Amino acid sequence: MRVLTLNLHNPSASALGSLAAFLDASGAEVLALTECGRTAAEGLARALDCEGLVYAPAPYWGNALLTRTLAVEGSAAVELPASSLGETRSAAVADLRVSGARTRLIATHLDHLTEPDRVRQLQHLAASVDLTEGVLMGDLNALTRADYDAARWEELGVQRLRAGVSPARTEVTDWLREDLAMEDAHDARPEGAPLSATCPYGTRVDYILIGPRCPMAAAPGSYRVLDSMSGGLTDHDAVTVELAPRLVPADRVVRP
């Protein structure tokens, strides 16, 4: 099963046709769309003839999960804590049946200004939905230290200071990978493939992460970043990966 995440930057009605064509060409079965208004989510679902749609509203345009052919067996919309400036975000949650196993997908978009706000939002989400059982997708506005050499990391600190956002920090991705043991789909990129940035600032902020108790795993070599910035579709590139059933001990499989 191919999954994809993309920040849509709240597209206009006139842009939905081009976006639908791009998403269709990706071959993804499940689409996690962030900065996506309800009108855009419903329009894309119709254009792509989707079987399922789960939407989580938020003042910053909300998040959507679209499934091309799989039925949604359960869903939720989680409101995340307000940022230090009072802005709220959300997460869309969908349970699907994939290869006979219940698989939970979560689409979210974390605060763009400070790491402490992102950590609070993420930990609230983890308390509401067991991330270790699912696939977390979306624009986390978070950095991974291993993506950058020392010179680039220092440069990022200067850029962020000038932009008025928090310094380059990694608490979000450290917590996901070390405390929750989530697998970063970026690790499933083709051998020798360099970092592919996903936003105009030359950083990777859009993620697909798989929990250790999820019945699916990223297929080696299947991670891709699809160009959607250069054509003006949106201000992020799409991230996609193939998920395949994994062998896990029976007591670790997520049961219906």
Side-chain angles (χ1 to χ4, degrees):
M1 178 180 73
R2 185 174 299 169
V3 299
L4 174 148
T5 184
L6 178 61
N7 182 318
L8 297 187
H9 197 52
N10 194 31
S12 64
S14 63
L16 294 187
S18 297
L19 277 169
F22 173 83
L23 295 170
D24 186 44
S26 75
E29 165 65 18
V30 178
L31 309 169
L33 306 177
T34 65
E35 288 195 24
C36 178
R38 186 184 295 275
T39 298
E42 293 174 348
L44 288 169
R46 286 192 299 270
L48 295 167
D49 194 25
C50 288
E51 176 70 22
L53 164 63
V54 178
Y55 189 73
Y60 210 72
W61 303 322
N63 303 282
L65 281 166
L66 279 62
T67 68
R68 303 297 304 273
T69 61
L70 297 172
V72 176
E73 296 190 348
S75 65
V78 180
E79 182 177 311
L80 303 183
S83 72
S84 53
L85 295 181
E87 181 186 68
T88 56
R89 302 279 176 123
S90 68
V93 183
D95 290 336
L96 311 176
R97 184 73 50 178
V98 183
S99 300
R102 190 189 72 178
T103 302
R104 176 161 293 162
L105 289 301
I106 307 111
T108 195
H109 182 200
L110 301 183
D111 182 74
H112 63 296
L113 292 177
T114 75
E115 192 80 350
D117 282 342
R118 288 189 284 274
V119 170
R120 286 193 307 107
Q121 290 170 342
L122 185 63
Q123 291 183 341
H124 176 87
L125 178 58
S128 304
V129 180
D130 189 349
L131 298 181
T132 68
E133 294 183 352
V135 181
L136 176 66
M137 299 185 284
D139 178 358
L140 304 187
N141 279 307
L143 302 177
T144 297
R145 181 64 185 88
D147 287 347
Y148 313 97
D149 62 23
R152 177 61 177 144
W153 188 252
E154 183 177 354
E155 182 183 13
L156 283 175
V158 174
Q159 287 178 347
R160 294 173 73 86
L161 180 64
R162 290 174 178 167
V165 299
S166 64
R169 293 165 63 171
T170 63
E171 285 96 326
V172 165
T173 56
D174 289 346
W175 188 71
L176 287 167
R177 295 191 63 154
E178 297 171 11
D179 291 61
L180 298 191
M182 297 192 76
E183 169 193 357
D184 189 342
H186 186 255
D187 295 342
R189 65 193 183 278
E191 186 175 356
L195 168 74
S196 292
T198 65
C199 75
Y201 304 104
T203 53
R204 181 171 73 99
V205 298
D206 301 272
Y207 290 82
I208 299 172
L209 299 115
I210 303 101
R213 297 178 61 234
C214 179
M216 309 296 285
S222 68
Y223 176 93
R224 298 287 188 277
V225 174
L226 308 181
D227 179 16
S228 46
M229 281 192 285
S230 64
L233 281 178
T234 180
D235 62 347
H236 284 238
D237 282 339
V239 173
T240 183
V241 75
E242 298 281 350
L243 298 179
R246 71 163 124 208
L247 297 176
V248 294
D251 62 351
R252 298 288 297 278
V253 174
V254 180
R255 299 297 184 186

